[in-house]
Amino acid sequence: MDLKHSAGGAGENSETFIATSKSTDMITPKEKEGKGVKAAGGHNPPAEGYKVYARRWAVLILFVFYSSSNAMQWIQYTIINNIITRYYGISDKWVDWTSMIYMILYIPLIFPGSWFLDKVGLRITALVGIVGTCVGAWIKVFSVDPSLFYVSFIGQSIVALAQVCILSLPARLAAVWFGPDQVSSATSVGVFGNQLGVAVGFVLPPMLVPNSPDLETVGSDLQMMFYLVAGLTSILLVLMVIFFQDKPPTPPSAAQEAAQLLESSGAEQVSFMQSLKNLMTNRNFIFLLLSYGINVGVFYAISTLLNPVVLKYYPGHEVDAGRIGLSIVLAGMLGSVVSGIVLDKTHKFKETTLAVYALSMVGMWIFTFTLDTGHIAVVYLTASLLGFFMTGYLPVGFEFGAELTFPEPEGTSSGLLNASAQTFGICFTLFYSELFTTFGDIAANITMAVMLIVGTIITAITQSDLRRQNAQVPASGQAGNP
């Protein structure tokens, strides 16, 4: 049954959940009589039950657009690689670096970034990120001149720095604001923001900056694109300052209440370095770090080199290269949402992770051997199949990591997963580029497909240790009055 309750005196709609149930079915205080149990950590659940607040959706949607505004700039140059190299008079390797700078800057900053998130919370971290994204976007506005690529690269680097305050947030935001049967879906939606930005980054630059023979026209088009992005990030900065909140008045689940009690207890609080040590000695999490890094690293490599790969078989189809990238990401968005729903309904984290990973590998093999069919519609189809599973895997990996590492902060585990992805992304992008230049796309894509086989095997041997789910279940024989 679904009954609405308002937060006491707050005038805001909220939903009340059974204290330690995996179900989000809401119950009235009368129905709860005699059913109270002690939640994770041995404390009694609150008399009114755990509540989630309607404002959580506003916070999540705002984060989606904030994340998108940063991610859309990642692939902004490489998807029009041939146009950028001609306008600025640079090699395509420099254009590749506008993508890889995102990965390189993230790696050394992941630990201070995770520490910062743990210390100051969601709101301050998010505001620092949107300020960096906005500043970097405006710097690029002043880089429109064939001699000013270095200015554009500086702006891109600042935006890349800002992603440290973004990539680790989805799992943390979901855990802080959403109940146990919505947390996986909320994480999926949070990751959806990054994918949405990548999708826009694939499709918008080829549309706004067509391959004109006149360099002045190209410069004018670049100027318009940079202004649009800078204006969007400025609007989002204002909205974030006004509406983005740190956490709800009360925890949404037993697991989150236990985590907050642990954080607030000076005697029991685990230091960031101790938390990091706990994660790095967790065998199953190490396996996930490797498999997650391989999967996402392959996606980064394919995305960065998509323009030259498509143009090899379909010359003059710059716009199609962007749209194929869009197809990959849009299919991945759908895959993310479907995966999140499956996780919330079944709580089969290991099984879902393995299935999505194996299908990503299959999709890579299909994509590899259908590029040269001569029908670009086939590439759209196979790329979409690849994207559905490969980018649909992102929130699955985040959630599996949160399960394996509870009660360690979600921001720290997510940050390490992202660091692994960036590391593999750099290596795979450089390796893929070299293979593509020397041996062609078939050899490069087969190598990536083989790496996904390795990742699938690692996923298969990872054990299903669902610690966060166990924290939602009452200890055997314990009962208490609500």
Side-chain angles (χ1 to χ4, degrees):
M1 68 188 73
D2 292 339
L3 302 176
K4 291 292 176 78
H5 300 266
S6 60
E12 178 185 358
N13 287 337
S14 64
E15 301 167 358
T16 307
F17 298 104
I18 300 175
T20 55
S21 173
K22 292 182 181 178
S23 171
T24 53
D25 290 341
M26 288 159 280
I27 61 175
T28 63
K30 182 177 180 180
E31 289 173 300
K32 290 189 291 184
E33 290 178 7
K35 296 184 180 180
V37 291
K38 288 188 177 181
H43 57 276
N44 287 322
E48 69 276 12
Y50 294 102
K51 294 180 179 179
V52 290
Y53 297 80
R55 76 185 80 163
R56 70 194 187 279
W57 296 109
V59 172
L60 181 59
I61 291 171
L62 191 55
F63 173 79
V64 165
F65 286 107
Y66 154 52
S67 178
S68 298
S69 71
N70 184 279
M72 68 187 291
Q73 300 181 64
W74 165 54
I75 212 78
Q76 189 177 45
Y77 295 93
T78 58
I79 198 59
I80 51 174
N81 185 306
N82 56 321
I83 299 172
I84 295 297
T85 55
R86 188 166 59 87
Y87 180 76
Y88 285 109
I90 57 175
S91 71
D92 57 358
K93 298 297 184 184
W94 271 111
V95 181
D96 292 345
W97 275 102
T98 64
S99 167
M100 289 191 292
I101 194 67
Y102 264 66
M103 311 172 205
I104 289 173
L105 291 179
Y106 185 84
I107 295 170
L109 293 174
I110 173 54
F111 297 126
S114 297
W115 173 86
F116 187 73
L117 173 61
D118 291 341
K119 289 297 181 183
V120 305
L122 284 170
R123 175 175 165 82
I124 299 300
T125 303
L127 290 181
V128 170
I130 189 60
V131 168
T133 300
C134 185
V135 169
W138 276 106
I139 288 176
K140 285 190 273 187
V141 168
F142 301 99
S143 70
V144 182
D145 184 273
S147 64
L148 294 179
F149 177 74
Y150 74 93
V151 176
S152 207
F153 197 82
I154 291 172
Q156 183 77 346
S157 299
I158 292 175
V159 176
L161 283 170
Q163 72 164 333
V164 176
C165 298
I166 299 174
L167 293 184
S168 300
L169 264 61
R172 177 67 172 267
L173 187 152
V176 168
W177 280 93
F178 288 81
D181 266 11
Q182 294 178 335
V183 66
S184 295
S185 296
T187 301
S188 298
V189 175
V191 174
F192 176 96
N194 184 271
Q195 296 171 320
L196 176 63
V198 175
V200 174
F202 270 124
V203 73
L204 199 60
M207 293 176 60
L208 294 177
V209 190
N211 193 7
S212 170
D214 182 6
L215 288 185
E216 288 190 8
T217 301
V218 172
S220 177
D221 293 338
L222 283 171
Q223 188 91 66
M224 176 60 68
M225 178 176 70
F226 292 148
Y227 267 122
L228 284 174
V229 175
L232 172 64
T233 56
S234 299
I235 294 171
L236 285 170
L237 172 58
V238 174
L239 293 176
M240 291 285 291
V241 170
I242 297 173
F243 296 110
F244 195 85
Q245 300 181 6
D246 189 59
K247 60 184 178 181
T250 58
S253 65
Q256 185 58 28
E257 183 178 21
Q260 290 184 9
L261 286 174
L262 187 62
E263 290 177 3
S264 62
S265 173
E268 299 180 10
Q269 190 171 9
V270 178
S271 69
F272 174 77
M273 293 307 298
Q274 181 61 47
S275 176
L276 192 61
K277 180 181 178 181
N278 293 341
L279 292 175
M280 298 310 295
T281 55
N282 184 325
R283 177 174 176 269
N284 291 314
F285 184 66
I286 295 299
F287 283 156
L288 181 63
L289 278 180
L290 294 173
S291 59
Y292 185 90
I294 291 171
N295 186 293
V296 183
V298 170
F299 169 68
Y300 285 165
I302 293 173
S303 299
T304 301
L305 278 300
L306 186 62
N307 175 273
V309 168
V310 172
L311 294 185
K312 175 183 176 181
Y313 293 103
Y314 306 95
H317 284 252
E318 290 90 356
V319 173
D320 279 305
R323 289 174 179 170
I324 290 170
L326 174 67
S327 300
I328 291 174
V329 179
L330 289 179
M333 292 179 187
L334 179 60
S336 294
V337 174
V338 171
S339 298
I341 293 173
V342 169
L343 289 178
D344 277 333
K345 296 297 182 183
T346 67
H347 301 287
K348 301 289 186 181
F349 289 86
K350 164 69 180 292
E351 295 84 349
T352 304
T353 302
L354 181 59
V356 173
Y357 209 114
L359 290 169
S360 298
M361 179 265 294
V362 172
M364 186 66 207
W365 284 104
I366 295 173
F367 176 76
T368 298
F369 293 104
T370 55
L371 281 168
D372 61 350
T373 61
H375 301 284
I376 200 166
V378 175
V379 182
Y380 274 95
L381 180 62
T382 57
S384 298
L385 177 67
L386 176 65
F388 182 87
F389 296 109
M390 182 170 285
T391 59
Y393 170 80
L394 301 179
V396 177
F398 274 159
E399 282 301 282
F400 196 26
E403 290 292 335
L404 293 175
T405 60
F406 185 85
E408 308 303 335
E410 293 87 358
T412 305
S413 61
S414 297
L416 286 172
L417 288 172
N418 281 317
S420 175
Q422 312 295 343
T423 303
F424 277 98
I426 294 168
C427 297
F428 286 175
T429 299
L430 293 172
F431 192 37
Y432 188 100
S433 178
E434 188 63 31
L435 288 173
F436 176 74
T437 302
T438 307
F439 301 104
D441 63 290
I442 297 296
N445 285 330
I446 286 177
T447 302
M448 296 298 104
V450 170
M451 295 310 302
L452 288 175
I453 292 177
V454 174
T456 302
I457 294 172
I458 295 174
T459 302
I461 63 177
T462 304
Q463 296 180 357
S464 182
D465 181 15
L466 307 183
R467 301 179 181 182
R468 188 172 63 181
Q469 291 301 312
N470 293 336
Q472 307 291 351
V473 181
S476 177
Q478 283 186 326
N481 294 325

